[in-house]
PDB file of all heavy atoms in Angstrom:
ATOM      1  N   ASN A  23      -7.654   3.250   9.951  1.00  0.00           N
ATOM      2  CA  ASN A  23      -6.879   2.124  10.564  1.00  0.00           C
ATOM      3  C   ASN A  23      -7.185   0.799   9.904  1.00  0.00           C
ATOM      4  O   ASN A  23      -7.174  -0.288  10.664  1.00  0.00           O
ATOM      5  CB  ASN A  23      -7.075   2.161  12.027  1.00  0.00           C
ATOM      6  CG  ASN A  23      -6.458   3.395  12.656  1.00  0.00           C
ATOM      7  OD1 ASN A  23      -5.538   4.005  12.174  1.00  0.00           O
ATOM      8  ND2 ASN A  23      -7.049   3.894  13.740  1.00  0.00           N
ATOM      9  N   SER A  24      -7.472   0.828   8.621  1.00  0.00           N
ATOM     10  CA  SER A  24      -7.819  -0.434   7.934  1.00  0.00           C
ATOM     11  C   SER A  24      -7.371  -0.221   6.455  1.00  0.00           C
ATOM     12  O   SER A  24      -6.968   0.811   5.994  1.00  0.00           O
ATOM     13  CB  SER A  24      -9.333  -0.683   8.014  1.00  0.00           C
ATOM     14  OG  SER A  24      -9.641  -1.975   7.511  1.00  0.00           O
ATOM     15  N   PHE A  38      -4.141   2.338   2.759  1.00  0.00           N
ATOM     16  CA  PHE A  38      -4.372   2.323   4.211  1.00  0.00           C
ATOM     17  C   PHE A  38      -4.501   3.755   4.621  1.00  0.00           C
ATOM     18  O   PHE A  38      -3.736   4.617   4.180  1.00  0.00           O
ATOM     19  CB  PHE A  38      -3.273   1.679   4.956  1.00  0.00           C
ATOM     20  CG  PHE A  38      -3.093   0.246   4.571  1.00  0.00           C
ATOM     21  CD1 PHE A  38      -2.203  -0.165   3.564  1.00  0.00           C
ATOM     22  CD2 PHE A  38      -3.833  -0.751   5.305  1.00  0.00           C
ATOM     23  CE1 PHE A  38      -2.078  -1.530   3.252  1.00  0.00           C
ATOM     24  CE2 PHE A  38      -3.598  -2.078   5.008  1.00  0.00           C
ATOM     25  CZ  PHE A  38      -2.788  -2.488   3.936  1.00  0.00           C
ATOM     26  N   SER A  39      -5.626   4.006   5.406  1.00  0.00           N
ATOM     27  CA  SER A  39      -5.809   5.329   6.100  1.00  0.00           C
ATOM     28  C   SER A  39      -5.443   5.080   7.601  1.00  0.00           C
ATOM     29  O   SER A  39      -6.177   4.368   8.205  1.00  0.00           O
ATOM     30  CB  SER A  39      -7.206   5.816   5.913  1.00  0.00           C
ATOM     31  OG  SER A  39      -7.369   7.009   6.631  1.00  0.00           O
ATOM     32  N   VAL A  40      -4.365   5.686   8.070  1.00  0.00           N
ATOM     33  CA  VAL A  40      -3.998   5.382   9.390  1.00  0.00           C
ATOM     34  C   VAL A  40      -3.948   6.650  10.240  1.00  0.00           C
ATOM     35  O   VAL A  40      -3.360   7.671   9.882  1.00  0.00           O
ATOM     36  CB  VAL A  40      -2.470   4.808   9.412  1.00  0.00           C
ATOM     37  CG1 VAL A  40      -2.071   4.537  10.841  1.00  0.00           C
ATOM     38  CG2 VAL A  40      -2.408   3.609   8.534  1.00  0.00           C
ATOM     39  N   GLN A  41      -4.674   6.607  11.403  1.00  0.00           N
ATOM     40  CA  GLN A  41      -4.734   7.761  12.205  1.00  0.00           C
ATOM     41  C   GLN A  41      -3.814   7.506  13.438  1.00  0.00           C
ATOM     42  O   GLN A  41      -4.049   6.490  14.165  1.00  0.00           O
ATOM     43  CB  GLN A  41      -6.135   8.080  12.743  1.00  0.00           C
ATOM     44  CG  GLN A  41      -6.221   9.332  13.551  1.00  0.00           C
ATOM     45  CD  GLN A  41      -7.670   9.700  13.823  1.00  0.00           C
ATOM     46  OE1 GLN A  41      -8.515   8.962  13.802  1.00  0.00           O
ATOM     47  NE2 GLN A  41      -7.909  11.064  13.893  1.00  0.00           N
ATOM     48  N   LEU A  42      -2.805   8.329  13.660  1.00  0.00           N
ATOM     49  CA  LEU A  42      -1.913   8.134  14.814  1.00  0.00           C
ATOM     50  C   LEU A  42      -1.576   9.502  15.366  1.00  0.00           C
ATOM     51  O   LEU A  42      -1.199  10.434  14.650  1.00  0.00           O
ATOM     52  CB  LEU A  42      -0.590   7.557  14.225  1.00  0.00           C
ATOM     53  CG  LEU A  42       0.333   7.055  15.270  1.00  0.00           C
ATOM     54  CD1 LEU A  42      -0.190   5.890  16.162  1.00  0.00           C
ATOM     55  CD2 LEU A  42       1.657   6.507  14.619  1.00  0.00           C
ATOM     56  N   ASP A  43      -1.761   9.612  16.573  1.00  0.00           N
ATOM     57  CA  ASP A  43      -1.601  10.881  17.324  1.00  0.00           C
ATOM     58  C   ASP A  43      -2.440  12.009  16.833  1.00  0.00           C
ATOM     59  O   ASP A  43      -1.948  13.114  16.626  1.00  0.00           O
ATOM     60  CB  ASP A  43      -0.126  11.295  17.369  1.00  0.00           C
ATOM     61  CG  ASP A  43       0.774  10.165  18.066  1.00  0.00           C
ATOM     62  OD1 ASP A  43       0.309   9.620  19.098  1.00  0.00           O
ATOM     63  OD2 ASP A  43       1.927  10.032  17.713  1.00  0.00           O
ATOM     64  N   GLY A  44      -3.632  11.638  16.369  1.00  0.00           N
ATOM     65  CA  GLY A  44      -4.613  12.688  15.881  1.00  0.00           C
ATOM     66  C   GLY A  44      -4.357  13.023  14.372  1.00  0.00           C
ATOM     67  O   GLY A  44      -5.046  13.926  13.880  1.00  0.00           O
ATOM     68  N   GLU A  45      -3.329  12.486  13.804  1.00  0.00           N
ATOM     69  CA  GLU A  45      -2.966  12.834  12.440  1.00  0.00           C
ATOM     70  C   GLU A  45      -3.392  11.592  11.456  1.00  0.00           C
ATOM     71  O   GLU A  45      -3.045  10.440  11.750  1.00  0.00           O
ATOM     72  CB  GLU A  45      -1.490  13.131  12.326  1.00  0.00           C
ATOM     73  CG  GLU A  45      -1.148  13.692  10.963  1.00  0.00           C
ATOM     74  CD  GLU A  45       0.335  14.166  10.972  1.00  0.00           C
ATOM     75  OE1 GLU A  45       0.786  14.623  11.991  1.00  0.00           O
ATOM     76  OE2 GLU A  45       0.999  13.889   9.959  1.00  0.00           O
ATOM     77  N   ASN A  47      -2.860   9.689   8.016  1.00  0.00           N
ATOM     78  CA  ASN A  47      -1.863   9.516   6.870  1.00  0.00           C
ATOM     79  C   ASN A  47      -2.316   8.354   5.929  1.00  0.00           C
ATOM     80  O   ASN A  47      -3.000   7.396   6.481  1.00  0.00           O
ATOM     81  CB  ASN A  47      -0.470   9.117   7.440  1.00  0.00           C
ATOM     82  CG  ASN A  47       0.126  10.232   8.299  1.00  0.00           C
ATOM     83  OD1 ASN A  47       0.519  11.236   7.733  1.00  0.00           O
ATOM     84  ND2 ASN A  47       0.279   9.987   9.575  1.00  0.00           N
ATOM     85  N   TYR A  49      -1.283   5.513   2.983  1.00  0.00           N
ATOM     86  CA  TYR A  49      -0.248   4.756   2.478  1.00  0.00           C
ATOM     87  C   TYR A  49      -0.799   3.862   1.424  1.00  0.00           C
ATOM     88  O   TYR A  49      -1.957   3.445   1.436  1.00  0.00           O
ATOM     89  CB  TYR A  49       0.412   3.789   3.597  1.00  0.00           C
ATOM     90  CG  TYR A  49       0.994   4.613   4.743  1.00  0.00           C
ATOM     91  CD1 TYR A  49       0.197   4.958   5.782  1.00  0.00           C
ATOM     92  CD2 TYR A  49       2.295   5.055   4.770  1.00  0.00           C
ATOM     93  CE1 TYR A  49       0.691   5.634   6.915  1.00  0.00           C
ATOM     94  CE2 TYR A  49       2.750   5.753   5.816  1.00  0.00           C
ATOM     95  CZ  TYR A  49       1.941   6.038   6.877  1.00  0.00           C
ATOM     96  OH  TYR A  49       2.505   6.789   7.976  1.00  0.00           O
ATOM     97  N   GLY A  66      -5.082  -7.082   5.969  1.00  0.00           N
ATOM     98  CA  GLY A  66      -4.293  -7.219   7.123  1.00  0.00           C
ATOM     99  C   GLY A  66      -4.619  -6.346   8.317  1.00  0.00           C
ATOM    100  O   GLY A  66      -5.283  -5.327   8.071  1.00  0.00           O
ATOM    101  N   ILE A  67      -3.972  -6.565   9.489  1.00  0.00           N
ATOM    102  CA  ILE A  67      -4.261  -5.804  10.603  1.00  0.00           C
ATOM    103  C   ILE A  67      -3.159  -4.675  10.689  1.00  0.00           C
ATOM    104  O   ILE A  67      -1.961  -4.907  10.526  1.00  0.00           O
ATOM    105  CB  ILE A  67      -4.132  -6.638  11.888  1.00  0.00           C
ATOM    106  CG1 ILE A  67      -5.259  -7.686  11.837  1.00  0.00           C
ATOM    107  CG2 ILE A  67      -4.286  -5.800  13.156  1.00  0.00           C
ATOM    108  CD1 ILE A  67      -5.180  -8.672  13.004  1.00  0.00           C
ATOM    109  N   VAL A  68      -3.636  -3.432  10.878  1.00  0.00           N
ATOM    110  CA  VAL A  68      -2.667  -2.292  10.885  1.00  0.00           C
ATOM    111  C   VAL A  68      -2.355  -1.993  12.310  1.00  0.00           C
ATOM    112  O   VAL A  68      -3.128  -2.092  13.254  1.00  0.00           O
ATOM    113  CB  VAL A  68      -3.395  -1.022  10.274  1.00  0.00           C
ATOM    114  CG1 VAL A  68      -2.559   0.201  10.462  1.00  0.00           C
ATOM    115  CG2 VAL A  68      -3.762  -1.267   8.802  1.00  0.00           C
ATOM    116  N   GLY A  69      -1.069  -1.640  12.507  1.00  0.00           N
ATOM    117  CA  GLY A  69      -0.601  -1.294  13.887  1.00  0.00           C
ATOM    118  C   GLY A  69       0.755  -0.722  13.849  1.00  0.00           C
ATOM    119  O   GLY A  69       1.236  -0.340  12.753  1.00  0.00           O
ATOM    120  N   THR A  70       1.355  -0.606  14.936  1.00  0.00           N
ATOM    121  CA  THR A  70       2.742  -0.102  15.122  1.00  0.00           C
ATOM    122  C   THR A  70       3.572  -1.171  15.687  1.00  0.00           C
ATOM    123  O   THR A  70       3.165  -1.916  16.566  1.00  0.00           O
ATOM    124  CB  THR A  70       2.877   1.193  15.889  1.00  0.00           C
ATOM    125  OG1 THR A  70       2.324   0.913  17.100  1.00  0.00           O
ATOM    126  CG2 THR A  70       2.100   2.340  15.264  1.00  0.00           C
ATOM    127  N   LEU A  71       4.847  -1.230  15.221  1.00  0.00           N
ATOM    128  CA  LEU A  71       5.872  -2.182  15.643  1.00  0.00           C
ATOM    129  C   LEU A  71       7.167  -1.523  15.493  1.00  0.00           C
ATOM    130  O   LEU A  71       7.534  -1.010  14.448  1.00  0.00           O
ATOM    131  CB  LEU A  71       5.745  -3.460  14.892  1.00  0.00           C
ATOM    132  CG  LEU A  71       6.491  -4.773  15.430  1.00  0.00           C
ATOM    133  CD1 LEU A  71       5.972  -5.142  16.732  1.00  0.00           C
ATOM    134  CD2 LEU A  71       6.317  -5.835  14.439  1.00  0.00           C
ATOM    135  N   THR A  72       7.940  -1.457  16.572  1.00  0.00           N
ATOM    136  CA  THR A  72       9.303  -0.802  16.632  1.00  0.00           C
ATOM    137  C   THR A  72       9.238   0.644  15.995  1.00  0.00           C
ATOM    138  O   THR A  72      10.005   0.877  15.150  1.00  0.00           O
ATOM    139  CB  THR A  72      10.358  -1.608  15.949  1.00  0.00           C
ATOM    140  OG1 THR A  72      10.072  -1.761  14.588  1.00  0.00           O
ATOM    141  CG2 THR A  72      10.512  -2.964  16.626  1.00  0.00           C
ATOM    142  N   ASP A  73       8.261   1.389  16.393  1.00  0.00           N
ATOM    143  CA  ASP A  73       7.982   2.800  15.961  1.00  0.00           C
ATOM    144  C   ASP A  73       7.780   2.810  14.407  1.00  0.00           C
ATOM    145  O   ASP A  73       7.935   3.979  13.807  1.00  0.00           O
ATOM    146  CB  ASP A  73       9.295   3.589  16.211  1.00  0.00           C
ATOM    147  CG  ASP A  73       9.478   3.810  17.712  1.00  0.00           C
ATOM    148  OD1 ASP A  73       8.464   3.787  18.458  1.00  0.00           O
ATOM    149  OD2 ASP A  73      10.599   3.890  18.177  1.00  0.00           O
ATOM    150  N   LYS A  74       7.290   1.811  13.808  1.00  0.00           N
ATOM    151  CA  LYS A  74       6.910   1.765  12.388  1.00  0.00           C
ATOM    152  C   LYS A  74       5.476   1.582  12.257  1.00  0.00           C
ATOM    153  O   LYS A  74       4.884   0.664  13.034  1.00  0.00           O
ATOM    154  CB  LYS A  74       7.758   0.739  11.619  1.00  0.00           C
ATOM    155  CG  LYS A  74       9.224   1.081  11.568  1.00  0.00           C
ATOM    156  CD  LYS A  74       9.962  -0.069  10.807  1.00  0.00           C
ATOM    157  CE  LYS A  74      11.374   0.317  10.537  1.00  0.00           C
ATOM    158  NZ  LYS A  74      12.141   0.826  11.584  1.00  0.00           N
ATOM    159  N   ILE A  75       4.832   2.111  11.339  1.00  0.00           N
ATOM    160  CA  ILE A  75       3.382   1.771  10.973  1.00  0.00           C
ATOM    161  C   ILE A  75       3.411   0.669  10.046  1.00  0.00           C
ATOM    162  O   ILE A  75       4.012   0.732   9.017  1.00  0.00           O
ATOM    163  CB  ILE A  75       2.646   3.074  10.451  1.00  0.00           C
ATOM    164  CG1 ILE A  75       2.631   4.173  11.480  1.00  0.00           C
ATOM    165  CG2 ILE A  75       1.205   2.674  10.071  1.00  0.00           C
ATOM    166  CD1 ILE A  75       2.116   5.415  10.893  1.00  0.00           C
ATOM    167  N   VAL A  76       2.719  -0.481  10.441  1.00  0.00           N
ATOM    168  CA  VAL A  76       2.877  -1.722   9.685  1.00  0.00           C
ATOM    169  C   VAL A  76       1.449  -2.292   9.403  1.00  0.00           C
ATOM    170  O   VAL A  76       0.502  -1.916  10.083  1.00  0.00           O
ATOM    171  CB  VAL A  76       3.702  -2.757  10.455  1.00  0.00           C
ATOM    172  CG1 VAL A  76       5.107  -2.193  10.610  1.00  0.00           C
ATOM    173  CG2 VAL A  76       3.029  -3.106  11.762  1.00  0.00           C
ATOM    174  N   VAL A  77       1.499  -3.179   8.347  1.00  0.00           N
ATOM    175  CA  VAL A  77       0.309  -4.089   8.318  1.00  0.00           C
ATOM    176  C   VAL A  77       0.770  -5.521   8.407  1.00  0.00           C
ATOM    177  O   VAL A  77       1.877  -5.876   7.943  1.00  0.00           O
ATOM    178  CB  VAL A  77      -0.325  -3.861   6.902  1.00  0.00           C
ATOM    179  CG1 VAL A  77       0.532  -4.190   5.678  1.00  0.00           C
ATOM    180  CG2 VAL A  77      -1.607  -4.764   6.790  1.00  0.00           C
ATOM    181  N   ALA A  78       0.083  -6.285   9.176  1.00  0.00           N
ATOM    182  CA  ALA A  78       0.398  -7.686   9.354  1.00  0.00           C
ATOM    183  C   ALA A  78      -0.370  -8.527   8.281  1.00  0.00           C
ATOM    184  O   ALA A  78      -1.625  -8.431   8.188  1.00  0.00           O
ATOM    185  CB  ALA A  78       0.035  -8.251  10.770  1.00  0.00           C
ATOM    186  N   LYS A  83       1.301 -13.586   8.947  1.00  0.00           N
ATOM    187  CA  LYS A  83       1.508 -12.551   9.938  1.00  0.00           C
ATOM    188  C   LYS A  83       2.888 -11.790   9.940  1.00  0.00           C
ATOM    189  O   LYS A  83       3.145 -11.158  10.855  1.00  0.00           O
ATOM    190  CB  LYS A  83       1.362 -13.093  11.396  1.00  0.00           C
ATOM    191  CG  LYS A  83       0.128 -13.991  11.545  1.00  0.00           C
ATOM    192  CD  LYS A  83      -1.138 -13.264  11.218  1.00  0.00           C
ATOM    193  CE  LYS A  83      -2.409 -14.108  11.611  1.00  0.00           C
ATOM    194  NZ  LYS A  83      -3.182 -14.350  10.379  1.00  0.00           N
ATOM    195  N   GLU A  84       3.585 -11.846   8.749  1.00  0.00           N
ATOM    196  CA  GLU A  84       4.758 -10.977   8.575  1.00  0.00           C
ATOM    197  C   GLU A  84       4.241  -9.484   8.559  1.00  0.00           C
ATOM    198  O   GLU A  84       3.204  -9.246   8.127  1.00  0.00           O
ATOM    199  CB  GLU A  84       5.472 -11.318   7.195  1.00  0.00           C
ATOM    200  CG  GLU A  84       6.294 -12.522   7.234  1.00  0.00           C
ATOM    201  CD  GLU A  84       5.395 -13.682   6.901  1.00  0.00           C
ATOM    202  OE1 GLU A  84       4.262 -13.501   6.375  1.00  0.00           O
ATOM    203  OE2 GLU A  84       5.866 -14.868   7.157  1.00  0.00           O
ATOM    204  N   HIS A  85       5.128  -8.700   9.021  1.00  0.00           N
ATOM    205  CA  HIS A  85       4.781  -7.264   9.123  1.00  0.00           C
ATOM    206  C   HIS A  85       5.543  -6.496   8.143  1.00  0.00           C
ATOM    207  O   HIS A  85       6.731  -6.573   7.940  1.00  0.00           O
ATOM    208  CB  HIS A  85       5.143  -6.744  10.448  1.00  0.00           C
ATOM    209  CG  HIS A  85       4.487  -7.301  11.636  1.00  0.00           C
ATOM    210  ND1 HIS A  85       4.944  -8.487  12.293  1.00  0.00           N
ATOM    211  CD2 HIS A  85       3.236  -7.073  12.261  1.00  0.00           C
ATOM    212  CE1 HIS A  85       4.177  -8.747  13.300  1.00  0.00           C
ATOM    213  NE2 HIS A  85       3.083  -8.015  13.257  1.00  0.00           N
ATOM    214  N   TYR A  86       4.741  -5.675   7.324  1.00  0.00           N
ATOM    215  CA  TYR A  86       5.316  -4.869   6.294  1.00  0.00           C
ATOM    216  C   TYR A  86       5.206  -3.388   6.674  1.00  0.00           C
ATOM    217  O   TYR A  86       4.140  -2.888   7.042  1.00  0.00           O
ATOM    218  CB  TYR A  86       4.539  -5.078   4.905  1.00  0.00           C
ATOM    219  CG  TYR A  86       4.736  -6.468   4.504  1.00  0.00           C
ATOM    220  CD1 TYR A  86       3.883  -7.539   4.769  1.00  0.00           C
ATOM    221  CD2 TYR A  86       5.843  -6.798   3.684  1.00  0.00           C
ATOM    222  CE1 TYR A  86       4.150  -8.809   4.341  1.00  0.00           C
ATOM    223  CE2 TYR A  86       6.103  -8.108   3.231  1.00  0.00           C
ATOM    224  CZ  TYR A  86       5.228  -9.130   3.530  1.00  0.00           C
ATOM    225  OH  TYR A  86       5.402 -10.468   3.087  1.00  0.00           O
ATOM    226  N   ASP A  87       6.357  -2.685   6.638  1.00  0.00           N
ATOM    227  CA  ASP A  87       6.346  -1.268   6.853  1.00  0.00           C
ATOM    228  C   ASP A  87       5.494  -0.539   5.861  1.00  0.00           C
ATOM    229  O   ASP A  87       5.927  -0.624   4.588  1.00  0.00           O
ATOM    230  CB  ASP A  87       7.847  -0.781   6.914  1.00  0.00           C
ATOM    231  CG  ASP A  87       8.016   0.686   7.326  1.00  0.00           C
ATOM    232  OD1 ASP A  87       7.117   1.510   7.060  1.00  0.00           O
ATOM    233  OD2 ASP A  87       9.127   0.990   7.837  1.00  0.00           O
ATOM    234  N   LEU A  88       4.531   0.258   6.211  1.00  0.00           N
ATOM    235  CA  LEU A  88       3.685   0.860   5.194  1.00  0.00           C
ATOM    236  C   LEU A  88       4.438   1.972   4.456  1.00  0.00           C
ATOM    237  O   LEU A  88       4.073   2.357   3.338  1.00  0.00           O
ATOM    238  CB  LEU A  88       2.367   1.385   5.757  1.00  0.00           C
ATOM    239  CG  LEU A  88       1.414   0.418   6.250  1.00  0.00           C
ATOM    240  CD1 LEU A  88       0.175   0.991   6.984  1.00  0.00           C
ATOM    241  CD2 LEU A  88       0.909  -0.556   5.087  1.00  0.00           C
ATOM    242  N   ALA A  89       5.468   2.657   5.168  1.00  0.00           N
ATOM    243  CA  ALA A  89       6.237   3.694   4.537  1.00  0.00           C
ATOM    244  C   ALA A  89       7.256   3.219   3.433  1.00  0.00           C
ATOM    245  O   ALA A  89       7.451   3.785   2.367  1.00  0.00           O
ATOM    246  CB  ALA A  89       6.906   4.559   5.612  1.00  0.00           C
ATOM    247  N   LEU A  94       9.466  -6.650   8.094  1.00  0.00           N
ATOM    248  CA  LEU A  94      10.375  -6.521   9.329  1.00  0.00           C
ATOM    249  C   LEU A  94      10.963  -7.853   9.803  1.00  0.00           C
ATOM    250  O   LEU A  94      12.012  -7.897  10.438  1.00  0.00           O
ATOM    251  CB  LEU A  94       9.512  -5.956  10.461  1.00  0.00           C
ATOM    252  CG  LEU A  94       8.858  -4.569  10.265  1.00  0.00           C
ATOM    253  CD1 LEU A  94       8.207  -4.014  11.475  1.00  0.00           C
ATOM    254  CD2 LEU A  94       9.922  -3.594   9.850  1.00  0.00           C
ATOM    255  N   GLU A  95      10.406  -8.964   9.460  1.00  0.00           N
ATOM    256  CA  GLU A  95      10.949 -10.306   9.822  1.00  0.00           C
ATOM    257  C   GLU A  95      11.976 -10.813   8.869  1.00  0.00           C
ATOM    258  O   GLU A  95      12.840 -11.662   9.236  1.00  0.00           O
ATOM    259  CB  GLU A  95       9.847 -11.275   9.978  1.00  0.00           C
ATOM    260  CG  GLU A  95       8.879 -11.071  11.167  1.00  0.00           C
ATOM    261  CD  GLU A  95       7.895  -9.983  10.966  1.00  0.00           C
ATOM    262  OE1 GLU A  95       7.578  -9.627   9.869  1.00  0.00           O
ATOM    263  OE2 GLU A  95       7.255  -9.531  11.975  1.00  0.00           O
TER     264      GLU A  95
END
Side-chain angles (χ1 to χ4, degrees):
N23 297 327
S24 187
F38 298 91
S39 173
V40 180
Q41 186 170 28
L42 189 64
D43 298 328
E45 189 174 321
N47 293 295
Y49 300 92
I67 297 171
V68 175
T70 57
L71 193 61
T72 65
D73 297 329
K74 294 177 175 44
I75 300 172
V76 299
V77 61
K83 311 304 183 241
E84 286 84 14
H85 297 91
Y86 294 93
D87 184 332
L88 291 178
L94 299 187
E95 288 80 17

